[in-house]
Amino acid sequence: QVQLQQSGAELAKPGSSVKISCKASGYTFTSYYISWIKQTTGQGLEYIGYINTGSGGTNYNEKFKGKATLTVDKSSSTAFMQLSSLTPDDSAVYYCARPGGSGAFDYWGQGVMVTVSS
Amino acid sequence: DIQMTQSPASLSASLGETVTIECLASEDIYDILAWYQQKPGKSPQLLIYDASSLHTGVPSRFSGSGSGTQYSLKINSLQPEDFASYYCQNGLSAPTFGAGTKLELK
């Protein structure tokens, strides 16, 4: 069965970076992009961008350019998102998700809670 | 970006009732619309895609309809496991989500 397994919760200091992972299983990894989505109580669900798992090409929501960097390791079927220059506004749950077609995300990771605090 | 306006923000209903959640897009999204269910502490789960197509394994009491800028999610005969938050999502261009509807047990 399709699974997206994300890394564990992160506690980070302002100004630092974190890198979270999303390991895919149960399907051919390079047949689907991986997208990333941020969820906060205040802003709801926000789309960050996607990575083409075959070519490594990326596309970012304008709001997250310079904040998020998406990469992929095909050998381990794992996608990564690095968040840099962290501020308290980056505190959120971050999900990876598989775009299954028709613009919908058919499978989601369990989410990673990132807390930015001094 | 396409804005998605979802209503109501919260909804109280009883077991066995039928409820409808609405989603209004700021422009025509040509039925490229998805609905998700999210329970506390869990990730969103896809219910409906292409406005009216049921995702694999989703019970038939869930249905989606609409076109153009107006869409709705209907849940027939509410079951205990249906009390959750629901989100619509535009899939036409850069994905955007509605603010959510929290469905609570009356």
Side-chain angles (χ1 to χ4, degrees):
Chain A
Q1 71 282 22
V2 174
Q3 288 190 345
L4 299 175
Q5 183 66 38
Q6 296 186 242
S7 48
E10 299 271 3
L11 173 61
K13 294 195 182 303
S16 69
S17 299
V18 296
K19 188 173 185 178
I20 59 181
S21 65
C22 172
K23 183 173 176 59
S25 60
Y27 71 99
T28 302
F29 181 64
T30 52
S31 294
Y32 296 85
Y33 295 178
I34 291 288
S35 293
W36 292 84
I37 294 145
K38 176 183 182 182
Q39 185 171 32
T40 58
T41 303
Q43 297 297 315
L45 292 159
E46 296 180 278
Y47 177 72
I48 296 170
Y50 71 77
I51 186 162
N52 180 323
T53 52
S55 69
T58 55
N59 181 276
Y60 296 93
N61 179 340
E62 198 67 34
K63 178 177 177 179
F64 292 94
K65 285 182 179 177
K67 171 61 62 179
T69 302
L70 306 182
T71 57
V72 67
D73 176 7
K74 288 189 286 186
S75 68
S76 63
S77 298
T78 304
F80 301 90
M81 177 173 68
Q82 178 164 314
L83 299 169
S84 60
S85 303
L86 291 168
T87 73
D89 286 345
D90 297 316
S91 296
V93 177
Y94 291 88
Y95 294 101
C96 61
R98 190 182 85 165
S102 296
F105 302 107
D106 59 357
Y107 292 94
W108 295 60
Q110 82 275 23
V112 174
M113 181 170 289
V114 175
T115 304
V116 182
S117 174
S118 55
Chain B
D1 288 356
I2 296 174
Q3 306 305 310
M4 306 300 290
T5 303
Q6 195 173 330
S7 62
S10 63
L11 183 55
S12 183
S14 303
L15 291 173
E17 248 187 86
T18 294
V19 298
T20 299
I21 298 167
E22 308 281 350
C23 193
L24 178 67
S26 60
E27 59 186 82
D28 193 329
I29 57 171
Y30 303 98
D31 301 356
I32 312 300
L33 187 284
W35 289 98
Y36 301 88
Q37 178 192 70
Q38 186 178 32
K39 297 181 178 178
K42 300 294 187 182
S43 55
Q45 300 294 305
L46 179 64
L47 298 172
I48 302 279
Y49 63 95
D50 286 347
S52 61
S53 296
L54 214 59
H55 183 53
T56 306
V58 175
S60 59
R61 63 180 179 273
F62 291 90
S63 63
S65 63
S67 62
T69 62
Q70 296 185 294
Y71 299 88
S72 61
L73 172 70
K74 185 177 177 182
I75 314 172
N76 288 314
S77 187
L78 281 168
Q79 300 299 301
E81 60 269 29
D82 299 337
F83 293 92
S85 293
Y86 292 85
Y87 297 90
C88 61
Q89 176 235 322
N90 142 55
L92 178 64
S93 59
T96 48
F97 295 84
T101 295
K102 187 173 184 179
L103 175 58
E104 297 176 309
L105 181 60
K106 188 184 288 184

